[in-house]
Amino acid sequence: MSSEGFLKEIQDIGEKFLLKLQKLPKAEPVEIVSFSVVLLFIVTVLVLMIIACSCCCYSCCGCDGRPDPRHRKSQVRPAAH
């Protein structure tokens, strides 16, 4: 997918979202609840992604951005008899 197509898709999604927000005050309670559940799901997924990425980056690099020497892979060699 080209970047122009991707931007067009994002713009279409944004326009649909704004249209849905504009119609929300006149909507039925069931529609409001379902919209809230979908919105809560999206926010939850984004927050969990941010937490996962920050934990992964923290455990890999630490706060200063340098790799942590304790997490280096070590090769296991057979013991000599």
Side-chain angles (χ1 to χ4, degrees):
M1 177 183 269
S2 67
S3 61
E4 293 174 2
F6 180 72
L7 291 176
K8 178 68 175 152
E9 284 291 323
I10 295 295
Q11 185 178 6
D12 289 344
I13 291 171
E15 288 174 0
K16 288 178 187 177
F17 182 72
L18 287 176
L19 183 63
K20 196 70 156 171
L21 280 176
Q22 290 172 350
K23 291 182 180 179
L24 203 57
K26 302 173 206 160
E28 296 181 16
V30 174
E31 196 173 357
I32 293 172
V33 169
S34 63
F35 182 76
S36 300
V37 167
V38 170
L39 196 62
L40 181 65
F41 175 75
I42 292 170
V43 168
T44 304
V45 168
L46 290 175
V47 167
L48 289 175
M49 283 177 53
I50 290 170
I51 290 172
C53 290
S54 65
C55 289
C56 178
C57 182
Y58 178 76
S59 68
C60 176
C61 299
C63 292
D64 56 359
R66 291 180 296 183
D68 191 356
R70 293 177 290 167
H71 289 84
R72 255 190 267 176
K73 292 182 180 179
S74 60
Q75 294 182 343
V76 177
R77 297 182 185 179
H81 292 281

